[in-house]
Amino acid sequence: MTPINKLLPLLLLLVTFLGTNAQVKEPRITDSSWVKPYPPFRIAGNLYYVGTYDLASYLITTPKGHILINTGCAASAKTIRQSVESLGFKFTDIKILLATHAHYDHVGAMAAIKKATGAKMMINAADAPVLADGGYSDYAIGGSVMFVPVQADRLLHNLDTVKLGGMSIVLLHTPGHTKGASSFLFDVNDGQHTYRVLIANMPTILSAAKFPSMPAYPGIAKDFKYTLDTLEKIHFDLWFASHASQFDLDKKHHPGDAYNPGAFRDQEGFDQEINDLEQAYDKKMKN
């Protein structure tokens, strides 16, 4: 019997072939907040918001180039470029691309932005096959190519560090929503304060997920439990998520507001979000 580690490169090649040779058909966007441009703003130090009203994208600037986390849907490539440039930064200075997970609403514009900037794509190894086949092999919503496939330049694992221009971003593997769903932990400084920032991939449970196990994801319930336990133990000053609605962006910041990192100090809101997700997990385990 051939060892699984020898088969992995062939499997990755197969899913990449399937993805790159099928027509891309992004699911119909029914929520206008996913594509409606949101005025970009400085969050804290060298961290900026460049996403839409609900699909969060984050720009981390450094003297050696910039890091972009998430891109939203395919249509957001132009929006993100305009946001980055309106903040006074060069779009082509983006050197690293990261993603909280490989769903079309967070990596839909990744291929276009990678091509335009030449940036290196880095993603959790468990989501790399899905990224490479455009979502085709996703355990819950796969079966079609939903975004332009992207080959990762670096595969990341739990507690790996991404470094650029003095920034050190630690990846936390927080699986469940996808097999490679990840959160990011790092520090930013604005000259007066240093803030510990958490960009959390909140473990929302997809309706297609089957607990406690399913053929395409045998360890799904175990992974969700691990993620919930991990997130509630993280220490941070400011927290954000893959969706702006998850951390109540609309309540904490309004377009035109002055610089105010303190608006995102919200341990209570984070704890409530985790509690709600734990209740959803318990309910799913009983069904």
Side-chain angles (χ1 to χ4, degrees), residues 65-196:
H66 313 317
I67 300 166
L68 180 68
I69 302 176
N70 289 352
T71 68
C73 300
S76 291
K78 181 179 179 181
T79 301
I80 290 174
R81 179 168 195 150
Q82 291 173 338
S83 293
V84 171
E85 292 176 344
S86 71
L87 289 168
F89 303 108
K90 289 182 63 176
F91 184 69
T92 52
D93 280 345
I94 294 174
K95 303 299 182 186
I96 295 175
L97 299 171
L98 299 174
T100 51
H101 62 278
H103 277 165
Y104 71 93
D105 52 332
H106 303 291
V107 298
M110 203 65 80
I113 292 178
K114 188 177 193 301
K115 181 178 181 180
T117 63
K120 300 295 184 182
M121 179 72 223
M122 304 181 186
I123 196 165
N124 188 294
D127 264 8
V130 180
L131 183 71
D133 66 20
Y136 188 91
S137 61
D138 184 274
Y139 79 88
I141 61 173
S144 65
V145 179
M146 294 171 278
F147 55 87
V148 178
V150 181
Q151 285 282 357
D153 297 293
R154 178 185 171 189
L155 301 182
L156 301 172
H157 303 84
N158 190 42
L159 301 181
D160 276 354
T161 300
V162 175
K163 296 184 178 182
L164 181 69
M167 286 296 300
S168 292
I169 301 173
V170 177
L171 178 141
L172 305 174
H173 188 196
T174 48
H177 190 68
T178 67
K179 295 179 182 180
S182 300
S183 301
F184 300 101
L185 195 62
F186 54 92
D187 292 336
V188 296
N189 183 284
D190 63 7
Q192 294 184 323
H193 301 282
T194 295
Y195 302 95
R196 190 68 164 163

Side-chain angles (χ1 to χ4, degrees), residues 14-89:
L14 175 61
V15 296
T16 302
F17 175 82
L18 288 171
T20 55
N21 287 274
Q23 183 179 1
V24 175
K25 187 176 182 181
E26 183 179 71
R28 183 168 174 263
I29 307 300
T30 58
D31 187 340
S32 62
S33 69
W34 281 21
V35 293
K36 183 180 178 181
Y38 189 93
F41 67 96
R42 184 188 182 198
I43 297 173
N46 57 323
L47 173 66
Y48 298 82
Y49 188 87
V50 293
T52 64
Y53 268 80
D54 188 52
L55 298 183
S57 297
Y58 304 94
L59 182 73
I60 301 171
T61 62
T62 88
K64 299 294 184 180
H66 313 317
I67 300 166
L68 180 68
I69 302 176
N70 289 352
T71 68
C73 300
S76 291
K78 181 179 179 181
T79 301
I80 290 174
R81 179 168 195 150
Q82 291 173 338
S83 293
V84 171
E85 292 176 344
S86 71
L87 289 168
F89 303 108

